[in-house]
Amino acid sequence: MPFTANRAFKARPRMIARAKDMFYFTPEGRKLIDGSAGLWCTNAGHNRDPIVAAIQAQAAEVDFAPPFQFAHPKAFELAARVASLAPGDLDHVFFCNSGSEAVDTALKIALAYHNVRGNASRVRLIGRERGYHGVGFGGISVGGIVSNRKQFGSLLAGVDHLPSTYNREKQAFTIGEPEWGAHLADDLDRIVALHDASTIAAVIVEPVAGSTGVLAPPKGYLERLRAICDKHGILLIFDEVITGYGRLGYAFAAERYGVLPDMITFAKGITSGSVPMGGVVVRKGIYDAFMKGPEHVIELFHGYTYSAHPLACAAGLATLDLYRAESLFERARKLEKPWGDAAMRLKGLPNVLDIRTVGITAGIDLASRPDAVGKRGYEAMERGFHDEGIMFRIVGDSIAVTPPLIVSESQIGEIFDKVGKVIKALA
């Protein structure tokens, strides 16, 4: 099982048999409120009727169309819809099947872009400590989570990392973006001085680092990062696999922060988790750089058998329709304050070291048990599932709470009441 303590799971399984809207159901019929939107992905809720109907209809019409040298109409329709949501001149879309594939695709596009422009020496990639960019070799190379890297050797060469933006002493118990930390972006100048700009292809960051425990960017940090990249001719990639499609109250975090990256990766929320899909949105200038030479020659030697799969495209179109019809992005913006206020009510509970909220997302750090780092977090997840009727994510001894965007104010209260009960029980 992926990212799972297999022996502990098999000793006491956490099985799911059914899901609808805000809830999961066990094989025995027990109801659990979904405090994690599946895996940060079911932004529109579970098994929404319009999405299910679109998938069923598409399966009966075209089950598969080869994406190499052929296409189907819904691929272009969805690409146009995604591009219309992206800011600025981010107007071309390359589809894949997951966030991990989206990241590796973006990194390859960055390398190839500099190559076709005659800057083949630009091969270095810059990530960030505590960053998560999926599980491909590219993604774990630029990622900065030790456990994801340490078993797999030296990974890609020529990768460097910015420092993490988190400092508990300066930022603890912050709702929204912390005041301290914009200066941490200036470390990119140090990295450029070490390696020289002529060797650096791209910087990739999550606008909000989600999988490491919800770390919002300090005010002004992303703007400074954009300015330094512009100064040195470095591409800036926003990994929005988690932040895309409403999690921060906007289609993309780039819109919330008013910073235009050169590429945006997406996945998860594009289909509300119903069918695997991911992709990369690129600026017009990047696309145009490849459109040279004889027209019969492939411009980018990259892709996947299931890129723009018909069922995924149908699900994506239905999901975007649902986001628009129910104004879910705007709804998330309105709920951000009551969400943050509810989360902060857990301050002062036993072993709570920090609480951070941004958008409809919260990270809660718990003190580690003296005998085992991560044990309290694991016990919290187990107790939530088996005793309190809630599912949430854990990252070591941190709890991440990220429900579907259809969550009501009363359900927000219910979620944090249940999390509070779990924390108290583990004191």
Side-chain angles (χ1 to χ4, degrees), residues 62 109 111 126 130 141 148 170 189 194 223 236 333 369 400:
V62 177
I109 289 173
L111 295 172
I126 311 301
R130 295 192 68 171
S141 296
N148 292 351
K170 305 283 189 181
D189 274 324
L194 174 64
E223 293 90 331
L236 178 60
R333 290 204 295 274
R369 292 200 181 279

Side-chain angles (χ1 to χ4, degrees), residues 169-330:
E169 182 181 341
K170 305 283 189 181
Q171 300 170 337
F173 299 100
T174 296
I175 294 178
E177 294 74 20
E179 297 288 342
W180 183 93
H183 66 283
L184 296 170
D186 296 341
D187 203 65
L188 182 56
D189 274 324
R190 179 193 63 79
I191 292 173
V192 170
L194 174 64
H195 299 297
D196 195 78
S198 65
T199 71
I200 301 174
V203 172
I204 182 168
V205 295
E206 302 158 277
V208 171
S211 294
T212 191
V214 185
L215 308 180
K219 292 178 181 177
Y221 173 87
L222 295 173
E223 293 90 331
R224 287 169 84 158
L225 209 57
R226 174 73 276 182
I228 296 169
C229 285
D230 285 342
K231 180 172 65 174
H232 297 294
I234 300 167
L235 296 180
L236 178 60
I237 304 167
F238 277 4
D239 184 345
E240 297 223 33
V241 169
I242 283 175
T243 56
Y245 304 104
R247 182 56 53 191
L248 302 185
Y250 296 86
F252 295 105
E255 182 182 358
R256 175 179 175 123
Y257 296 118
V259 177
L260 187 68
D262 298 296
M263 288 184 256
I264 290 176
T265 65
F266 65 86
K268 297 188 185 289
I270 181 64
T271 65
S272 195
S274 61
V275 180
M277 174 170 255
V280 183
V281 196
V282 305
R283 296 181 69 176
K284 184 178 187 300
I286 293 177
Y287 175 83
D288 289 345
F290 289 94
M291 299 301 117
K292 312 289 184 183
E295 291 189 2
H296 70 282
V297 175
I298 294 168
E299 292 93 1
L300 178 66
F301 282 80
H302 176 68
Y304 304 92
T305 299
Y306 298 113
S307 288
H309 191 281
L311 269 65
C313 289
L317 288 165
T319 300
L320 295 185
D321 286 343
L322 202 52
Y323 290 147
R324 182 170 57 190
E326 298 184 357
S327 301
L328 290 184
F329 302 167
E330 297 82 358

